[in-house]
Amino acid sequence: MSKSAADGKPQDRRDSAQRDIVGGGIVVAAILLFIGTGGTVMQAAVRTLAGLGGGPDQTLAAAMILNIALILFGWRRYEDLNREIRERTEAEQRARYLADTDPLTGFVNRRALIGKGQALLTEAASEKRHVALFLMDLDHFKTVNDIHGHAAGDRVLTVAAERITATLPPSAMKARLGGDEFVALLPFDPAARDDIDALAGQLLRALEEPIDHDTQQIRVGASLGIALARDSNALMETVVRQADIAMYHCKEKGRNRHIWFETGMEMAVQVRNQIENGIRDGMPRGEFIPYFEPQVDMATGRLVGFEMLMRWDSPEQGLVPPERFIPIAEESGLIGELSLQVIRQAMNIARDWDPSISLAVNISPRQLKDPWFSQKLTKLLVETGFPASRLDVEITESSLFENLALVRSIVTSLKNQGVSLSLDDFGTGYSSLSHLRALPFDRIKIDRSFVTALRESADAQAIVVAIVRLGDSLSMPITAEGVEDEATARELTRLGCAKGQGWYYGRAASAGETAKLLASRGLLRAPLTPEGAAAAPDAEPLRHSA
């Protein structure tokens, strides 16, 4: 709005007020004149009707008629003013409602939450009551928008708001922070904290129920952080931030749960933010690099491939292992770009290996929610010139259940390009035989937890035997990961595992060390630099169980 337009509104109001004052003065004067002239005119009219006079004075009669007209005008103006005041009051109330309310859910919006929430905290403190602040984030909501569209996303938000309203007591203040985040404030007696826990569990169960949209059912669930305001010193901004921290701890613990804020969580969040910022800064600087873990034919001991593992070569922290930064990259949504960046490096490196050596890469569950993932990976193959037939994509078992139709589309597209597919960490999820038959996997990888416990646990051995037999029946060779000693390698070979990897065969190494290993076996097509060639004879040979 321009300044002149803004300045014009008060001027219009002043002009209207002046007109109202003038009009009101005219009406008052007309009433006084009517009182003064009306009696005389009416008396003369009555005498005329009685045959006692010659009629009222024409001037006075005209004045009375004018007074009547002015009084009627004043009454009409009075009604108009009342209607205008009502309309203006309603418009102001409507504007205030729209300014303070989320239009999709009808909840209080972020703008109004702080002020209204602080007032509620103050009121509760005066009544010696505590306030629990719930901060809920819908799990996998971005996937709903990506796969089903924004109309489905709006449907999920609307139903979530309805379920929150139905579950929480009427005294709760409910707000939508934006996106898929909701806040609720619940005053309660200090002795009734268990009731808050029960209510949180009830709310999570309600949000976990499927949502019907068109002909589909959508499931989301939620992560719920709870912060406690005990007295009048509590600030709304602080309580919201604490609940937000607790909510992120829920996501780290596996989602679909509730956690109360604790003081030590703030330090963990600071560390997490440092790592996330480090990832964002390190990606354009090329700090993330591939390492390569050998994969061996267990019957012959022949080197047949490498699994690419990601490392962070941080200037501040040194070589950071993946378990420290991969989960944060997943949560922050950076894993897709980061993974493709490092896979590109690995393809460029592996292009110079002998054609008999394959490259296995792990795919994040988040990447399998991207409908364009197969096209992105195919683009990398074309740009790097790496043969699709030498690429083995490893998909974790737990990735199959959120959207099996999308996963099937992605893996079928990759399979059509000539890429091999392995089902990774088999035995830790809930794969069924129908999944294995429906998806075109080439290989099954036994999770390292079963391999590590193979010689100590009869149950682990039974599981390994069952997986090997399953692989035989489906014509899917078995790879065992986590082979750490010769006895385990021999036992796995006896059971029929085709490939193995683990410390027994060699730890993950940098591109340079891997090149030395390959050169020492005549498996490197590109010549090493003089430094690498000099070091090649010292490369440690791979152990094998044969």
Side-chain angles (χ1 to χ4, degrees):
M1 181 184 295
S2 66
K3 185 177 186 300
S4 60
D7 292 341
K9 285 192 173 183
Q11 181 63 43
D12 292 343
R13 290 174 182 169
R14 287 194 294 270
D15 292 343
S16 177
Q18 290 172 358
R19 288 194 299 270
D20 293 342
I21 292 172
V22 172
I26 292 172
V27 172
V28 170
I31 292 172
L32 293 175
L33 287 172
F34 177 76
I35 293 171
T37 61
T40 303
V41 173
M42 292 302 294
Q43 289 176 6
V46 170
R47 284 197 300 269
T48 299
L49 292 173
L52 301 176
D57 183 87
Q58 291 185 354
T59 303
L60 290 177
M64 187 187 75
I65 293 172
L66 177 61
N67 291 339
I68 292 172
L70 290 174
I71 291 170
L72 293 175
F73 165 77
W75 178 258
R76 176 68 179 272
R77 181 59 181 161
Y78 171 76
E79 288 295 316
D80 289 343
L81 285 174
N82 277 342
R83 185 174 64 254
E84 183 179 344
I85 290 171
R86 287 195 303 270
E87 290 175 351
R88 184 178 299 173
T89 302
E90 291 171 358
E92 289 174 352
Q93 292 173 345
R94 178 65 177 167
R96 190 177 301 112
Y97 174 82
L98 292 175
D100 293 349
T101 305
D102 173 60
L104 183 63
T105 63
F107 286 179
V108 173
N109 61 18
R110 179 189 291 271
R111 173 186 174 276
L113 173 63
I114 299 301
K116 292 187 175 184
Q118 190 65 56
L120 188 147
L121 296 184
T122 302
E123 180 182 355
S126 68
E127 297 171 352
K128 307 299 183 186
R129 306 183 78 197
H130 290 173
V131 176
L133 188 146
F134 286 9
L135 196 152
M136 294 154 277
D137 182 89
L138 301 183
D139 295 332
H140 312 302
F141 180 73
K142 184 178 183 300
T143 304
V144 174
N145 278 331
D146 291 344
I147 295 175
H148 302 287
H150 290 281
D154 288 348
R155 167 71 176 159
V156 168
L157 292 173
T158 302
V159 173
E162 292 171 355
R163 292 176 180 177
I164 291 170
T165 300
T167 304
L168 299 183
S171 60
M173 178 186 294
K174 299 170 288 292
R176 180 185 172 205
L177 287 185
D180 60 336
E181 287 189 334
F182 295 90
V183 165
L185 287 89
L186 294 91
F188 68 99
D189 293 328
R193 177 162 168 164
D194 288 345
D195 294 341
I196 298 297
D197 283 313
L199 193 59
Q202 184 181 348
L203 181 56
L204 290 175
R205 288 190 294 274
L207 294 173
E208 192 180 16
E209 290 295 316
I211 297 171
D212 293 325
H213 177 69
D214 293 336
T215 59
Q216 301 180 3
Q217 283 196 331
I218 301 172
R219 292 181 181 271
V220 284
S223 298
L224 171 57
I226 309 177
L228 181 64
R230 292 183 172 87
D231 52 44
S232 59
N233 294 323
L235 296 177
M236 188 64 187
E237 295 91 339
T238 302
V239 181
V240 171
R241 180 174 54 82
Q242 291 174 345
D244 191 52
I245 290 172
M247 183 269 293
Y248 274 104
H249 273 263
C250 288
K251 292 189 177 295
E252 292 175 0
K253 298 293 184 182
R255 305 175 187 265
N256 198 36
R257 65 190 65 207
H258 74 275
I259 292 179
W260 288 81
F261 171 79
E262 297 177 0
T263 306
M265 291 179 179
E266 278 194 275
M267 180 61 70
V269 168
Q270 291 175 6
V271 172
R272 182 198 178 280
N273 289 340
Q274 288 175 356
I275 293 176
E276 181 178 338
N277 291 334
I279 295 172
R280 294 184 187 276
D281 295 339
M283 286 171 61
R285 294 200 293 250
E287 294 178 4
F288 295 89
I289 56 176
Y291 264 49
F292 302 94
E293 182 177 357
Q295 294 181 327
V296 172
D297 184 315
M298 300 191 72
T300 65
R302 182 173 61 88
L303 178 63
V304 293
F306 290 90
E307 179 181 353
M308 185 210 81
L309 303 174
M310 195 184 303
R311 297 290 186 269
W312 180 9
D313 190 6
S314 168
E316 294 84 17
Q317 305 177 62
L319 203 61
V320 182
E323 58 268 18
R324 283 192 58 196
F325 67 87
I326 292 292
I328 295 173
E330 286 266 9
E331 293 167 13
S332 60
L334 297 171
I335 190 65
E337 182 183 354
L338 177 60
S339 175
L340 290 176
Q341 183 185 97
V342 180
I343 289 174
R344 178 186 291 274
Q345 296 179 54
M347 287 180 177
N348 283 326
I349 293 166
R351 190 178 51 205
D352 296 328
W353 299 346
D354 186 86
S356 65
I357 304 299
S358 64
L359 173 67
V361 296
N362 288 285
I363 299 304
S364 157
R366 195 178 189 98
Q367 288 175 283
L368 290 175
K369 300 173 185 176
D370 178 3
W372 298 100
F373 173 71
S374 64
Q375 287 86 343
K376 292 176 181 178
L377 192 60
T378 302
K379 184 171 180 250
L380 281 188
L381 289 168
V382 172
E383 290 176 350
T384 60
F386 187 76
S389 59
R390 292 175 54 199
L391 182 65
D392 182 19
V393 170
E394 299 183 354
I395 298 173
T396 58
E397 190 178 6
S398 58
S399 303
L400 304 180
F401 306 103
E402 289 186 16
N403 193 329
L404 183 60
L406 178 59
V407 174
R408 182 187 292 114
S409 172
I410 290 172
V411 299
T412 301
S413 176
L414 292 174
K415 186 72 174 175
N416 290 338
Q417 298 298 322
V419 174
S420 297
L421 300 168
S422 293
L423 182 58
D424 197 11
D425 296 339
F426 188 78
T428 60
Y430 304 94
S431 285
S432 66
L433 293 179
S434 62
H435 288 148
L436 289 175
R437 297 188 65 178
L439 298 172
F441 288 109
D442 300 286
R443 182 176 297 275
I444 296 174
K445 292 188 73 174
I446 304 176
D447 185 70
R448 67 175 60 247
S449 61
F450 300 120
V451 175
T452 302
L454 180 65
R455 291 189 299 128
E456 287 80 20
S457 169
D459 290 341
Q461 186 176 42
I463 291 172
V464 171
V465 170
I467 294 174
V468 172
R469 289 177 179 172
L470 176 63
D472 287 341
S473 65
L474 296 174
S475 299
M476 293 182 186
I478 304 298
T479 299
E481 54 183 347
V483 183
E484 298 184 359
D485 54 58
E486 183 177 359
T488 300
R490 289 186 180 278
E491 180 63 14
L492 289 168
T493 304
R494 184 186 69 80
L495 292 175
C497 288
K499 286 202 304 186
Q501 64 185 86
W503 291 355
Y504 177 66
Y505 297 112
R507 296 178 182 245
S510 66
E513 291 299 317
T514 301
K516 295 174 188 178
L517 173 65
L518 290 168
S520 69
R521 285 158 178 74
L523 297 174
L524 190 67
R525 293 192 296 183
L528 282 175
T529 61
E531 294 81 359
D538 297 330
E540 181 183 356
L542 291 177
R543 303 181 184 93
H544 60 83
S545 59

